[in-house]
Amino acid sequence: MKKIATITCCAPGAPPLRPPEFESLSSRFKALADPTRLAIVNRLAGQGECCVCEFQSRLDLSQPTISHHLRVLREAGLIEVAYKRATWVYYRLVPENVQALAFALGGSPEPALVLATAEGTVAR
C-alpha cells in the first residue's frame, strides 16, 4: 500500500505547503471540480467498482464523454482500473489518494473516518 500523505493544507494553523504539494493536491481537487467527475467518484464510493456502461446509463452521457472524464480522474490518481471483462472496463477508487484529499481538508492530526465505500471505510 502506498504511503498516505499527511499534508494538511486548509485547516486553521496549517503549515505552508511546498510547490510539489500544491501541484499534487491542486490536480486532484481540479479533477473533482466537474459535476460529472464528482458523480463518478460518488458512485464508486457507494458501489466499490463500476463498469463504464453503468456510468453511461446513470449519467445519460455518451461513451466518449464518459471516457474523457474517467481519463481525467485516472490521471489525477483518484481512480484505477479494477479489472476488464471482455470489452467492459470496471473502475474503482484509489482509497489512499481520496483519503489524502479528505485529510488535507480535515486538519486532524491523524486521518479520521473520512470516506465510506461499499467495502467499508477507506481511512480510520
Side-chain angles (χ1 to χ4, degrees), residues 10-11 14 23 46 49 67 109:
C10 305
E23 292 299 320
E49 297 172 348
S67 291

Side-chain angles (χ1 to χ4, degrees), residues 87-109:
T87 59
W88 297 110
V89 180
Y90 291 76
Y91 287 90
R92 66 177 165 228
L93 292 177
V94 178
E96 57 271 12
N97 292 344
V98 175
Q99 177 188 1
L101 289 179
F103 181 66
L105 290 174
S108 64

Side-chain angles (χ1 to χ4, degrees), residues 48-103:
E49 297 172 348
C50 285
C51 175
V52 173
C53 61
E54 293 178 48
F55 296 127
Q56 283 179 255
S57 63
R58 297 273 182 184
L59 301 172
D60 194 31
L61 296 170
S62 69
Q63 186 275 326
T65 301
I66 295 294
S67 291
H68 164 75
H69 289 297
L70 292 170
R71 181 182 52 81
V72 171
L73 290 168
R74 274 194 328 272
E75 289 174 354
L78 296 172
I79 65 170
E80 63 188 1
V81 173
Y83 58 92
K84 296 179 181 183
R85 183 175 294 152
T87 59
W88 297 110
V89 180
Y90 291 76
Y91 287 90
R92 66 177 165 228
L93 292 177
V94 178
E96 57 271 12
N97 292 344
V98 175
Q99 177 188 1
L101 289 179
F103 181 66

